[in-house]
Structures are given as structure tokens and as C-alpha cells.
Amino acid sequence: MRLSLTRNRLLAAVAAGVVLAAPGAFADEDHETKEAWRLFVADHTNPIVRVIDFEDGKELGRYDVKGYASLTASTSGQTVFAAQTEADVIHAIKTGINFSDHGEHSDLEVSEPALLPVTFEGKRPGHVVPHDDHVVLFYDRADKAEIVDEADILDGKVEKRIVDTIKPHHGVAVTMGRYALVSAPNTEIETKPDELPPRIGLRVVDEKGEQVGDTAPCTDLHGEATSARLVAFGCKEGVLVARPGGLDGPKLTMLPYPADFPKANTGTLLGGKAMQFFLGNYGDDKLVLIDADAEQPYKLIELPTRRVDFQLDPAEPRNAYILTEDGNLHVLDVVKGEIVNKARVTEPYSKDGHWRDPRPRLAVADGQIAVTDPRHSLVRVVDPDTLKETRTIAVEGQPFSIVAVGGSGASH
């Protein structure tokens, strides 16, 4: 099985992506290239988020929050959201990295990071989904999701568009134009006070809050990602793909798992940026590459042991990195659909035990792979070509969740 996007098509897409990501040729002599990268690292045990200069490893900021934080960067990279599920709150951090587009180039302005004075409160905030100039906040134990504009957050004010989620459940909401794609809970079963109902499908809701069309079946919906103009959701039956539609709203299509696949499903998805594809887990020890336009959309990737984390490389669109519990970092070539390199970067971290035990997480910054190592209070920096550790950044406590923000641009 192979992706229907031919290798030549994918290579062309990769080349286009690299060209678009490169700094433009500047006609004016007052342009100088500036580069800045920052890591945002949440501690596993203590309610702390740290901002670290990636170049020299210095701590630029340390913010006390209310609880364990899962971090998500906005699409623009100007904001990082710290969702604290057990503390019923989401904090927003200004990254101090701001790009402004000027056609043939982007300007980069760098300022001090800051914990913004706005917070978002709701019972058990789960998924934070950035999209274009806004973000969608989903609360598992409330019957709502909130759509908020990033510009308002950065100005210290909040105006919310509320999306009714029918009933509290562990779900997700994603915007697509003027519509919202919202997980649908099972409302016909009774649940215990400490339990949430299962997800059974996906609803399309217009800007008035009214459902458009029927609920699309998607058992145990979990995981979402955007690639180009498509949004994908993991389901027990397959991967459900939403495409922009006309006046009738987005079109939903199920991509069933192949009959010869082992029994498993996808619950975590990543979306390609420079080219259209999705990468998802398939159980604990496999991945799937997904081309939604292909006659045979799935390519199964076998891993030697269970995965701990995986990420796409935004600057090298054909590269994906997978850390497995034996401490090996694997490079997946998404064009070939093959693992092309691997090396040991940490000691083993077993997947047995509690799902939220401290284990490494991955981010990509300035063409390098940053790996949190909570057992040794380090962020390990790894070269993606050689998979050799080039340096370490000491981080107090147990560095866990991590996101990287930055890039290069013109400075006047």
C-alpha cells in the first residue's frame, strides 16, 4: 500500500514549502535578518511554566499557574495556552515572538514574554485547538466550548462565542469557516456522577448555533488535526475527514480502516503544513500515514516498541520524529513512508503505569529536536540528521510538556 500522492508530487510540495519558509530577498539595505526561538516548558508536578531562550538556554520567564499544564501554541506563535485540567482554568502567555507578513518577507519583532492578565475558567478544560487568528477551548465537564480571538487576548480582553456541546463529555470543537465541527456525546445512556458519556459522532454547527445536517457517526471520537483545508478526526471505524463545502456547510467523509489492518484505532493526529497529509497513531506501537484523497488512503508504519511521543518537523516537511519507550528516536520519511534513521536519545521510559506519568515529550526548534527528560531535569537537543545529542539545557524540576515558538525574519 502507498499514498496516492506520488513521490514526485510530494517532493514538489516539499520543495515549495521550503522555498516559502525561506527568508525573502530584500531590496532595501535597512533589512537585517533576525532569528529567535523560545521553548515553553511545563513542569510535571509543580504548577510552573518556564520560558527558555533556545540559543543560550537561559530562563526568560517563570510563571506560577494553578495546576499541571498542557501547552498549546497558537497558529501565529504569539500566544501559548496552558490548559490545567485539574484546576479548571486556562492561562495565556505572550511569547514575545511576533511575525508580520510583508509579501516577499516577514518582519520579526522580539519582546519580553509575559503571563497575560486574562484567564479562561470552566470545568475540566480539555482540548485547546488553534485555528487561524483564534482558538477553540473545550471544557469536558461543562456543556460548552468557547471561540476566542487571539488579538483580543493579547490586548487583555476577552469576547467569547459560545458553542453548545449538548452534554458534558471528553470532546473537541474545531472551526471551519463560519461553521464549528463539534463532537457529539451519547445522550441516551445514563452515566455515573464521576463518569462522562462516550462520543458517538461529529456535528456541524453554524454561527447561530444550529446544527446543519445529521450527526456523522464516529464512535469514540478522539484526536483531531488540520492539514491544508481539511480537518481529520480519529474514530473507532476509521478517520472522519471534513472538507469545506458550499452553502450547505462542510462535507464529512469516513475513511474506513483497511480490512487487513490489525484491530486498533487512531486517537492522536497531526496535520502536515507544507503538504496535505495526516499522521496518526494506530494503537500503541504503530502509526498511520493518511492521504485523504487517495484510493487507498492508509500506510501502516510498524514501530519496534510502544510510542511515547511523535511530532512533525515544520521546516523539513518530509520528516516526522517518533520517540519510543526504549529511548530510541526514529526519523520517519513521510514521502517514502519508511523509518530511515534511529538512535538512542534517552534511557527507557516504560508506557506501563499511569497515563500521565512523567515521560519525555518532543518539540522542533530552529531545525533541531528538543526532548524533555524529566528524570534528569534536562531538555536534550538532538541533531535531526545524525540523531546525536549536541547539547543539553538544564531545567529545574521535571520538564514535561513542551512547545517551541520562533523563526527568522527581517529586522529594521
Side-chain angles (χ1 to χ4, degrees), residues 166-189:
I166 300 179
K167 183 179 182 179
H169 66 284
H170 179 57
V172 70
V174 187
T175 57
M176 178 172 276
R178 62 189 183 92
Y179 297 92
L181 310 171
V182 190
S183 55
N186 189 330
T187 59
E188 297 180 359
I189 63 172

Side-chain angles (χ1 to χ4, degrees), residues 127 170 199 220-224 233-236 238-239 257 264-270 279-283 288 307 310:
H127 287 95
H170 179 57
R199 288 83 59 198
D220 297 337
L221 183 154
H222 194 278
E224 57 72 35
F233 301 84
C235 315
K236 188 175 182 179
V239 171
Y257 302 123
N265 61 275
T266 295
T268 302
L269 284 161
L270 304 174
L279 179 64
N281 74 304
Y282 193 72
V288 283
R307 86 193 185 286
F310 64 110

Side-chain angles (χ1 to χ4, degrees), residues 58-119:
K58 292 182 179 179
E59 187 174 287
L60 302 176
R62 169 179 167 164
Y63 307 119
D64 294 325
V65 290
K66 300 294 184 182
Y68 158 81
S70 176
L71 304 179
T72 304
S74 67
T75 302
S76 72
Q78 293 186 71
T79 315
V80 166
F81 296 89
Q84 299 142 72
T85 302
E86 297 168 1
D88 296 336
V89 67
I90 301 172
H91 284 86
I93 301 169
K94 186 188 78 168
T95 66
I97 304 290
N98 183 20
F99 291 94
S100 54
D101 182 51
H102 292 276
E104 80 285 356
H105 73 276
S106 293
D107 284 354
L108 169 60
E109 295 181 7
V110 180
S111 59
E112 293 296 318
L115 183 65
L116 292 169
V118 296
T119 57

